[in-house]
Structure formats: C-alpha cells, structure tokens
Amino acid sequence: IDQDAQQFAVIAQQAATRIEELVRVGFIEPALALEAALEAAREAGGARGDSAEAALARLRAGTVVRDLMPLVRRAAPDEVDRITALLARLGPAIAPALASALAHESDPAARERLRAVLAGFGDAGEQAVRALLSSESAETRRNAALLLREFGGAAGVDVLERLLADSDLRVRREALRALAVVEDPQAHERILRTLETVPADTQRALLDELGLVRDVRVSPLLALLAVRWRERRMSEPAIRAIGQIG
C-alpha cells in the first residue's frame, strides 16, 4: 500500500466504493476483507487512519444496509453470518438505517436474522427504533414496537403508552406486548390503567394477547393482574395466560 498520505486517501475511498459494489452483487467475503483492511488502517492512526475513518464513514452513510436486505432474505446460514458480521463491524452509526430497514422488512426470517445485530448496538439501536414509533405509517409503528420489545428496557415506556391508544389495532397490540416485557413496575401500572378503561371483552382479548407473547418476562404482570382483579372475575384469564407462557 502506498505510504503517501494523499494517495492512501484515494485508495481508501476506492476501497469504500469497491465494498459497495461487492455488496451490491452479493460478494460478501471480499467486502469483509476490504472493510477489515480499512479498519486496521483506522486503528493504526495518523493520516492513514484519518483517511480510513473517512472512507468507513462514507460507507456507513451509503447504501450498504439497503443493498444487504435482499441478500439476507435468500442467504444460506453461513452467508447470513458473514452479512451480520459486516453490519456489526460497521458499528452503531448504521443503527438508524438498519432500524428503518427492519421496520419496513416484511420477511419474518430476515427480521429475525438482523434483530440481534441492531440489539448489539445497545443504546444507539434502541434510540433508532424509538425514532420510528412516531412514523405516519401504522406498519412501521407496529414493527418498531415489536423491535423495541427485543430491547426490553424502560426507556421507551412513555412512547409505548401513547401507542396503546393508537388508531391501528395491530399497533396497540404490539405496544401492549412491548410494555409487558419491560421489567419496570411503572410500565405494569400503565398497562393496568389502560386495561381498566376498556370493556370486559376487550380486557379478556388483551390478556389472551399477553399469553401469546410466550416470554417469561410477562409473568409478573399477569400475576399482578390476577391479584388486583380477583374481585372482577379476571383472575382466571390471567392465570390461564400464565399457563400459556409455560
């Protein structure tokens, strides 16, 4: 590799362009190798490190995430590992693009394969998902609430509570599921408050919905419902929902 800083800056940008081209045609292995070379140069520091960082920044802001989506849908397991490795190495800066792609992704298998990558970005991933909860698209809001459930944190409680009154039934159901797995008494109290305002048949339907979550984190909420609603003949549905979780 040429030692001249200016020439290396050109080489680094060419490498970023080449990575985009390789991803576009599905050649992930060489794209990973080039990205690793840029990362190594970045870590070395100096002028070459600055040039490598600029190339990586351009790569993160480009079309790589969007171009990888069709590949994830049809990839074999070993290919999926390479794709997720590339996304993970690009880092939290791609969280907004990845969250947006996941919220619009209709293929369940593709969503499942990439959720772990987004969750691995920690706070950056969660913030990117929360930004989608105010989308005008009901489908995007629903998928964002579903993704937020994967994080299981208390940071999104306020916005999820607002979604409990969403105009779209599917969004309300997903918000309920997301709030139910938040291990925070405040989230549970807000669900209780919401459930108390709806008719009895809707309450039973929502309890059944909670049972379908199949997540042990929902059990404390259902146990609380069973105790609080003992006099309302709702203990039995709550206990039955706990049984559905197993």
Side-chain angles (χ1 to χ4, degrees):
I1 298 178
D2 199 302
Q3 298 297 316
D4 182 84
Q6 289 184 337
Q7 287 189 344
F8 183 80
V10 173
I11 292 171
Q13 290 297 320
Q14 289 174 339
T17 299
R18 186 59 176 159
I19 290 170
E20 291 176 330
E21 292 171 347
L22 288 167
V23 166
R24 207 166 289 128
V25 294
F27 294 154
I28 305 303
E29 196 69 38
L32 272 169
L34 277 176
E35 192 278 338
L38 286 175
E39 187 62 34
R42 185 193 68 79
E43 292 177 354
R48 289 160 61 92
D50 292 341
S51 296
E53 175 56 37
L56 288 167
R58 173 195 151 185
L59 196 59
R60 297 179 190 113
T63 63
V64 168
V65 173
R66 184 187 68 196
D67 292 336
L68 283 172
M69 287 298 110
L71 301 180
V72 175
R73 297 184 198 114
R74 62 176 184 266
D78 59 332
E79 294 172 327
V80 171
D81 290 341
R82 289 193 287 270
I83 292 170
T84 56
L86 178 56
L87 288 169
R89 274 160 47 170
L90 289 173
I94 69 165
L98 182 57
S100 180
L102 279 169
H104 291 86
E105 179 57 57
S106 59
D107 183 78
R111 286 203 308 267
E112 186 64 30
R113 289 166 170 173
L114 294 174
R115 277 180 204 155
V117 177
L118 187 62
F121 293 148
D123 290 343
E126 184 170 349
Q127 290 298 323
V129 172
R130 289 183 65 193
L132 297 174
L133 291 170
S134 58
S135 170
E136 293 184 1
S137 165
E139 187 66 16
T140 299
R141 294 195 305 276
R142 186 184 73 83
N143 285 334
L146 186 154
L147 288 168
L148 197 59
R149 174 155 53 96
E150 298 298 312
F151 289 91
V157 167
D158 288 340
V159 67
L160 284 170
E161 184 183 22
R162 290 197 296 272
L163 288 182
L164 289 175
D166 196 274
S167 58
D168 188 277
L169 175 61
R170 296 172 304 166
V171 175
R172 293 198 299 272
R173 286 176 173 172
E174 207 56 64
L176 175 68
R177 291 183 174 198
L179 271 174
V181 299
V182 175
E183 296 175 312
D184 182 348
Q186 182 186 25
H188 294 172
E189 290 295 337
R190 295 186 187 196
I191 291 176
L192 282 170
R193 186 164 62 237
T194 297
L195 290 176
E196 287 171 352
T197 65
V198 297
D201 57 342
T202 303
Q203 289 175 350
R204 290 186 176 85
L206 291 175
L207 282 172
D208 289 340
E209 193 73 31
L210 290 174
L212 293 174
V213 176
R214 297 292 192 271
D215 190 318
V216 295
R217 290 175 294 177
V218 181
S219 297
L221 169 62
L222 292 171
L224 179 63
L225 286 170
V227 172
R228 290 273 190 94
W229 288 2
R230 187 175 302 159
E231 302 303 324
R232 303 187 189 187
R233 298 181 181 178
M234 294 299 291
S235 293
E236 184 178 341
I239 293 171
R240 184 172 63 248
I242 294 174
Q244 289 175 326
I245 294 172

